[in-house]
Amino acid sequence: MSVDPTSSPKTRKPSNQLRLARIFALFFFLGCAGLIPVIRQANRDYRVANIYLQSEAGIIEAIPINSGYRTRPGQRREPSTRPSFVFRFATREGETVTTRGYDAYGGREAPHAEWNLISAGDRVPCWYDPSNPRNAVLSRRFNPHFYWLLALPLGIMVFTGLLLRECLRRAAPPVLKGIQKGRRLAWRLPTVASQRAMTGCLGVAVFLCALLAAAFVLAALDYQVPVYRYRWISRVLGFNMNGWWIVALSAALVGGLFLWAFLVNLRWIVVPEPEVEVNATRLLPGQSTALYLKQAGPLTAESYKVSLICEINGTPGKPPAIQKTIFEKTNFSAGPDREGEAVEFSAEIEIPESAGHTCHSVPMKQTGANAPRNLVAWFIRVERKVSAKTTLQSDFEMLVGPERA
């Protein structure tokens, strides 16, 4: 009895989500594979520094490894030399071992002045691995700048790992964090974006750039091999110019830009943040709630504006999808933060009937006609124009939609 092949179930094609997940997983594991050479080198550096035993070696022969590059197409080849020596030593157990090498890095970037004085017949210190004496070195030199290679695989792993998580996770119901009991109304809303937060982020960026610049300077100082293409710059400056100095300068310039932005914004962090309270933190389309706002001083602003904002797939500089002005005043002034001198006002805010529900995360796998397809956020936005070019903005998030998504 023959079986009709058309009667068998059709093989399901993998969904777009699954295909993307496989691609991201592949790149994630490639990033993991990129860690292997660095981990092996770190293991050898540790063993050389802490486990290798010292002995005395007799140099049998110097066999340098020559390589090079062309300075320009069709021009001469500039050679570079890596040290490599054949040497013999005795272990603590009395075994005589003959091996070849120089340091834990195969002689790469070894300073010329360090090994150029060694020649056949010399007696020099050496260090060997007690578990495998043929792994021996004549120099315990450590190259800290080698470990900047970790940036590439770790960057790939973090980036593809985040994308892979977005592929596989389901959208979670939005939840507000940091809500407190209100003084006038039921709840005080937390600030999700403000001038102070941005200034703090700029300060953190300045600190990180300073650390990177300092680390790259140490890497540049550690790199002892002269670079042929920078030879004339090295002669003028009086020290070994190499590519690490360029990277350090770039990090310092980026840090300088962040520092300038930090100092420009620093003067505004003393302006008190407004206090926003509501009777309900979650509303359905068409519902309304009472709003109370208190702005302490000292503050003098050209204009003061409070708005109900809806952002869909919000990006910096993109106008909000919905913007309803709740309160606006020009030549605004609030005194010092003492009772009776802060500015307070109350209003009623209403969510439009056609409002989209709040959605903080959209899964790449869409299921059902009502599945979320856009990122939607609702805010009460307070804008204080303190100068012709500076507007201080604070956002207080609210939720729109049912209790469970």
Coordinates of all heavy atoms in Angstrom, one line a residue, residues 272 294-299 333-343:
P272 N 14.2 73.5 42.1 CA 13.4 72.3 42.6 C 12.5 71.7 41.6 O 12.0 72.4 40.7 CB 12.6 73.0 43.7 CG 13.3 74.3 44.0 CD 13.9 74.7 42.8
K294 N 2.6 71.3 42.6 CA 3.2 72.3 43.5 C 4.6 72.5 42.9 O 5.4 71.6 42.7 CB 3.3 71.8 44.9 CG 4.1 72.7 45.8 CD 4.3 72.2 47.2 CE 5.2 73.1 48.1 NZ 5.4 72.5 49.4
Q295 N 5.0 73.8 42.7 CA 6.3 74.2 42.2 C 6.9 75.1 43.2 O 6.5 76.3 43.5 CB 6.2 75.0 40.9 CG 7.5 75.5 40.4 CD 8.5 74.4 40.1 OE1 8.3 73.6 39.2 NE2 9.6 74.3 40.8
A296 N 7.9 74.6 43.9 CA 8.7 75.4 44.9 C 9.7 76.3 44.2 O 10.1 76.0 43.0 CB 9.3 74.5 45.9
G297 N 10.2 77.3 44.9 CA 11.2 78.2 44.3 C 12.5 78.0 45.0 O 12.7 77.0 45.8
P298 N 13.5 78.8 44.7 CA 13.3 80.0 43.8 C 13.3 79.6 42.3 O 14.1 78.7 41.9 CB 14.5 80.8 44.1 CG 15.6 79.8 44.6 CD 14.8 78.8 45.3
L299 N 12.4 80.1 41.5 CA 12.3 79.9 40.1 C 11.7 81.0 39.4 O 10.6 81.5 39.8 CB 11.5 78.6 39.8 CG 11.1 78.3 38.3 CD1 12.4 78.1 37.5 CD2 10.2 77.2 38.2
S333 N 6.9 83.0 38.3 CA 7.8 83.2 39.3 C 7.3 82.5 40.6 O 6.2 82.5 40.9 CB 8.0 84.7 39.6 OG 8.9 84.9 40.7
A334 N 8.3 81.8 41.2 CA 8.0 81.1 42.5 C 9.1 81.5 43.5 O 10.3 81.5 43.2 CB 7.9 79.6 42.3
G335 N 8.7 81.8 44.7 CA 9.6 82.2 45.7 C 10.4 81.1 46.4 O 10.3 79.9 45.9
P336 N 11.1 81.4 47.4 CA 11.9 80.3 48.1 C 10.9 79.3 48.7 O 9.7 79.5 48.8 CB 12.6 81.1 49.2 CG 12.7 82.5 48.8 CD 11.4 82.7 48.0
D337 N 11.5 78.1 48.9 CA 10.6 77.0 49.4 C 10.2 77.2 50.8 O 10.7 76.5 51.7 CB 11.4 75.7 49.2 CG 10.5 74.5 49.4 OD1 9.3 74.6 49.5 OD2 11.0 73.4 49.5
R338 N 9.3 78.1 51.0 CA 8.7 78.3 52.4 C 7.2 78.3 52.2 O 6.6 78.5 51.1 CB 9.1 79.6 53.0 CG 10.6 79.7 53.3 CD 10.9 80.9 54.3 NE 10.5 82.1 53.7 CZ 11.4 82.9 53.0 NH1 12.6 82.5 52.8 NH2 11.0 84.1 52.5
E339 N 6.5 77.9 53.3 CA 5.0 77.8 53.2 C 4.4 79.1 52.7 O 4.7 80.1 53.2 CB 4.5 77.4 54.6 CG 3.0 77.0 54.6 CD 2.8 75.7 53.8 OE1 3.8 74.8 53.8 OE2 1.7 75.5 53.3
G340 N 3.5 78.9 51.7 CA 2.8 80.1 51.2 C 3.5 80.8 50.0 O 2.9 81.6 49.4
E341 N 4.7 80.4 49.7 CA 5.5 81.1 48.6 C 5.6 80.1 47.4 O 6.1 80.6 46.4 CB 6.8 81.6 49.1 CG 6.7 82.7 50.1 CD 8.0 83.3 50.4 OE1 9.0 83.0 49.7 OE2 8.1 84.2 51.3
A342 N 5.4 78.9 47.6 CA 5.4 77.9 46.4 C 4.1 78.1 45.6 O 3.0 78.4 46.2 CB 5.5 76.5 46.9
V343 N 4.2 77.9 44.3 CA 3.0 78.0 43.5 C 2.3 76.7 43.4 O 2.9 75.7 43.1 CB 3.4 78.5 42.1 CG1 2.2 78.5 41.1 CG2 4.1 79.9 42.2

